[in-house]
Amino acid sequence: MRTSSTRTITAAYVLTITLLANTAAATDAATPAESITAGDHEYRAAGVNAQGYREFLRLRDGATVVLIPGGHFHQRGYWDVPGTTMKDDRSWVYLPPMLYDKYEVTNRQVVKFLQAAGGVLYSDGKAEHFDGHPYASAHAWGLDITEAGARARAGFEDFPAVGTSGWLAVAYAAWVGGKLPNGLEFEKAASGPSGLLFPWGNEDKLPDSTRANNYLHGPKRTVRVGNYPAGASPWGLLDMSGNVYERAYWDGTQSADPALPTRQPTMLKGGGWVSPNWSNMRCVDRCGQDMDLMEGSVGFRVCITDPEVLQHFAVAKPKLRIFTDALDAYEEASERNVPIFLYMGYERCGQCDRVQAQLFQDPQFIDYCNQHLVVLIGHCTRDSIDMPKTPVTDDGIFFAHSGVPLEDIQQVWWDFSMWRVAHYVRLPDSVPLFQISPGLFLLNPYREQVRNPDDAVLIDDQRFMRHKGGLEVPFYLDRFREAQAKLGVGLTLQQYQDGAEAPPTDWRPTPEDAKLWRTALDRMQTLRAALQQFAADNGGRYPEGLEALRSLLRHGWLPQDPFRGEYFRYELTTSGFRLVCHGRGDQVGGEMIPERDIVCTESMAPSPAPSRE
């Protein structure tokens, strides 16, 4: 019977939004346009930068903004200082998408803001808001302020806005529809997904005269924004280290009430022209400054994280629909009469990377798999300390398959591993013993292959051996169609979701397999009933020793009876309960298994299942 509530599918939809990764459902996306209106603000597409990220012109202030996609980045610890004994653990941090200013806000842009803002009072050398908060003071590299207003100093129009307060920075950000970044947002924008030490690289690339304006490599004052293209961040942002410090909110907070000092952007990030020490130029470094101070080494830039704004920049991108539970994969595939495409990855290797980065991202491949197959992924990490290459977030998400919990696909690996084959099921040796990772198989979706395990695999991994580079999509599609032809006509995903009934399959188990499969199902149900009865007799709980047996029952799903021809009867006793194991000699291969009792009490774990001797 078709059920959907227990299915474990990582991506239960065909399209997802690049910007809104890890969402639970599809979202309609806007087509990129030359002009985008988001609320009161208009943007114009400005192409793609050298790093491959989309840029837009914000018309209100003329700023260029870069679209940084949502996702995890590897945040460095503050005390991780290369060349010293100070070390600090990294952590994977997820942040939603954001629009981030490519350059520091300039003197020219601040003047435009002051001219448009209401309630600004000017005196000789000062500008303040009518509420008493200082906005700006005259500076040799910044603004010339008189009672008539403010203007940028000649020759410094496109230099970073200095001599400005935190209050002006907050008001400016709101004027253009954004905010100042918090510390995490700054670090992701500066260091990129991998968490670089500096925006341009790690400790082997210290600040120099080509990468950043600092005290040792510069004119000992500000310079025009964007003057150091070699110092660009992985997203294409410039001057994220050097030139001027930039204001940010502490940690992951932003101001809900500007009157609270702990909620004000008093953190300074990125170092500046005053910094001789490269450690102050790190992406993780931080300093502080009061909101009222206005001097020549601190500026700011804007980021926008409002989902209602960002939805206008979203681009639909196909995403592979992945199952992370073998039972669920077999259930749907058999109901649709389609093959299961099994991917078995051993740790991390170049072949795996090529398949995942190229094949699994190809729109034609994704479209065919989503509509005509069920994709099941297994992954073995060995030991996380011994083999640290598998990139996993703090919440267990595996990067190679976006949104996939590593724990789930590790279980899929064990479902098809040598351990399970040796103890519970029979499959062709090629499944657990594939030669080169990843192992790629097209599986028969019907589990009634007991005496004929070769029927469990429609197309073996050997057929894919020379095609694991991830680029030969037509080859894969031909194999997929070949596997489908062995089963007959299958339902597309859309037909299945619309409630269509699957056509009869061309595949049939042998009469012996069909009989043994029915026997196995009966035995499984007997054991389920025994465990359920025990729970009913004991206030809904199981003794601790039965957890392993329950797990075997849950994962004993492959062709052969997972309890190797045995069946169980539950008997309540004065000391607790008894599970009686009866061997009937109808094990695959005909081995005789003597009868044996498995006795459990509240204080006893179950004995191991009988071995083949």
Side-chain angles (χ1 to χ4, degrees):
M1 183 175 68
R2 180 181 303 178
T3 60
S4 59
S5 60
T6 59
R7 270 195 198 100
T8 306
I9 313 173
T10 295
Y13 44 88
V14 177
L15 292 179
T16 190
I17 305 304
T18 303
L19 299 177
L20 306 179
N22 299 339
T23 54
T27 305
D28 291 334
T31 302
E34 288 299 315
S35 180
I36 295 175
T37 300
D40 297 331
H41 300 277
E42 187 176 356
Y43 296 81
R44 192 164 295 160
V48 176
N49 61 28
Q51 289 72 22
Y53 294 94
R54 295 163 61 205
E55 295 186 346
F56 300 86
L57 183 66
R58 188 170 59 217
L59 298 190
R60 173 156 291 183
D61 63 346
T64 299
V65 297
V66 178
L67 185 61
I68 298 178
H72 289 83
F73 82 103
H74 211 184
Q75 184 195 25
R76 283 179 178 261
Y78 181 78
W79 297 109
D80 181 8
V81 182
T84 74
T85 59
M86 297 188 294
K87 300 298 176 186
D88 202 350
D89 291 337
R90 287 177 167 221
S91 60
W92 289 103
V93 179
Y94 177 82
L95 290 178
M98 53 187 171
L99 290 167
Y100 211 99
D101 284 8
K102 182 173 184 176
Y103 309 106
E104 295 151 333
V105 173
T106 66
N107 292 314
R108 185 193 307 274
Q109 291 167 323
V110 165
V111 168
K112 187 175 182 179
F113 160 69
L114 290 172
Q115 291 172 344
V120 180
L121 306 177
Y122 299 96
S123 59
D124 188 16
K126 298 287 184 182
E128 67 177 22
H129 196 258
F130 73 90
D131 62 7
H133 286 140
Y135 264 15
S137 63
H139 196 281
W141 313 324
L143 305 181
D144 180 20
I145 303 176
T146 67
E147 293 180 355
R151 61 181 179 84
R153 297 279 186 181
F156 293 93
E157 291 87 352
D158 296 318
F159 282 49
V162 294
T164 56
S165 72
W167 306 109
L168 180 141
V170 169
Y172 183 99
W175 177 63
V176 297
K179 67 181 189 66
L180 300 186
N182 61 47
L184 292 177
E185 290 162 345
F186 179 95
E187 288 175 28
K188 178 177 179 177
S191 67
S194 61
L196 298 175
L197 184 66
F198 307 105
W200 55 83
N202 289 313
E203 53 266 30
D204 59 330
K205 296 181 179 180
L206 295 178
D208 63 19
S209 60
T210 69
R211 297 173 178 138
N213 175 22
N214 73 341
Y215 198 77
L216 298 181
H217 305 100
K220 296 181 174 55
R221 62 165 173 79
T222 61
V223 297
R224 186 185 305 273
V225 299
N227 211 36
Y228 293 85
S233 84
W235 314 108
L237 308 180
L238 297 177
D239 298 321
M240 291 296 287
S241 178
N243 214 7
V244 291
Y245 278 95
E246 298 177 21
R247 287 190 175 271
Y249 294 98
W250 288 90
D251 301 323
T253 65
Q254 65 188 61
S255 179
D257 181 359
L260 297 175
T262 57
R263 299 299 190 206
Q264 295 169 356
T266 57
M267 178 191 282
L268 301 182
K269 299 286 285 181
W273 68 265
V274 297
S275 305
N277 190 340
W278 62 261
S279 67
N280 292 341
M281 313 266 304
R282 297 176 301 150
C283 299
V284 297
D285 198 66
R286 56 182 180 260
C287 187
Q289 187 175 91
D290 186 83
M291 294 285 284
D292 291 346
L293 290 185
M294 300 169 289
E295 44 90 12
S297 69
V298 175
F300 65 96
R301 73 178 84 198
V302 178
C303 77
I304 297 173
T305 59
D306 185 349
E308 293 186 4
V309 173
L310 289 164
Q311 68 179 348
H312 297 282
F313 297 83
V315 178
K317 181 180 179 181
K319 183 178 178 67
L320 193 63
R321 183 174 183 259
I322 297 171
F323 277 75
T324 58
D325 185 285
L327 277 173
D328 296 336
Y330 271 86
E331 178 187 348
E332 181 178 308
S334 60
E335 290 179 354
R336 291 173 55 195
N337 193 41
V338 297
I340 296 171
F341 182 46
L342 174 65
Y343 171 102
M344 292 280 279
Y346 188 78
E347 222 296 304
R348 299 301 306 146
C349 66
Q351 296 290 125
C352 296
D353 294 341
R354 283 187 281 276
V355 168
Q356 292 161 355
Q358 298 179 116
L359 189 68
F360 283 8
Q361 301 299 318
D362 182 88
Q364 185 182 16
F365 178 88
I366 292 172
D367 181 66
Y368 188 95
C369 288
N370 286 350
Q371 283 299 318
H372 301 288
L373 297 173
V374 164
V375 178
L376 180 64
I377 286 181
H379 181 75
C380 176
T381 63
R382 284 183 64 187
D383 184 276
S384 60
I385 298 176
D386 180 44
M387 300 290 283
K389 293 186 295 181
T390 299
V392 183
T393 67
D394 290 341
D395 53 358
I397 299 300
F398 184 35
F399 287 165
H401 308 294
S402 179
V404 176
L406 181 62
E407 181 180 358
D408 291 351
I409 54 178
Q410 283 179 303
Q411 180 58 56
V412 173
W413 168 274
W414 287 111
D415 285 341
F416 290 91
S417 68
M418 272 303 300
W419 180 86
R420 186 164 296 282
V421 170
H423 289 81
Y424 298 108
V425 300
R426 294 177 65 204
L427 284 174
D429 289 344
S430 63
V431 175
L433 294 177
F434 58 88
Q435 294 181 11
I436 295 176
S437 182
L440 303 174
F441 304 86
L442 286 161
L443 302 182
N444 189 321
Y446 301 98
R447 291 184 282 160
E448 299 95 322
Q449 306 112 43
V450 182
R451 293 179 182 272
N452 296 281
D454 286 344
D455 288 345
V457 176
L458 298 174
I459 294 183
D460 191 85
D461 179 66
Q462 288 296 318
R463 299 284 299 280
F464 295 100
M465 279 294 292
R466 296 184 60 190
H467 303 274
K468 294 184 180 181
L471 292 174
E472 302 179 69
V473 173
F475 173 85
Y476 280 85
L477 299 189
D478 287 344
R479 301 293 77 73
F480 295 162
R481 296 185 184 103
E482 179 184 340
Q484 183 65 65
K486 295 181 180 183
L487 299 175
V489 178
L491 292 181
T492 67
L493 177 64
Q494 188 61 56
Q495 291 170 332
Y496 178 68
Q497 292 175 338
D498 290 342
E501 292 297 327
T505 178
D506 292 346
W507 180 86
R508 292 286 184 275
T510 65
E512 296 83 3
D513 276 350
K515 179 180 178 181
L516 284 174
W517 180 245
R518 286 193 298 270
T519 300
L521 292 181
D522 289 343
R523 290 171 178 165
M524 295 274 282
Q525 185 56 41
T526 299
L527 182 53
R528 284 194 185 94
L531 294 174
Q532 291 168 355
Q533 183 61 48
F534 175 81
D537 293 339
N538 291 271
R541 60 189 178 87
Y542 294 90
E544 182 179 350
L546 266 187
E547 290 301 321
L549 187 58
R550 295 174 67 202
S551 176
L552 292 179
L553 177 64
R554 172 70 181 98
H555 294 290
W557 55 268
L558 283 171
Q560 184 179 312
D561 175 5
F563 299 100
R564 296 181 293 176
E566 304 139 15
Y567 69 95
F568 298 80
R569 184 175 72 252
Y570 165 74
E571 296 176 354
L572 188 65
T573 68
T574 56
S575 60
F577 74 98
R578 179 191 300 262
L579 282 175
V580 183
C581 171
H582 299 272
R584 292 304 188 189
D586 55 2
Q587 170 68 11
V588 174
E591 297 94 332
M592 294 297 296
I593 301 176
E595 294 191 7
R596 177 178 176 181
D597 289 353
I598 297 179
V599 180
C600 298
T601 67
E602 291 288 348
S603 60
M604 290 179 58
S607 302
S611 61
R612 299 173 188 244
E613 296 180 350

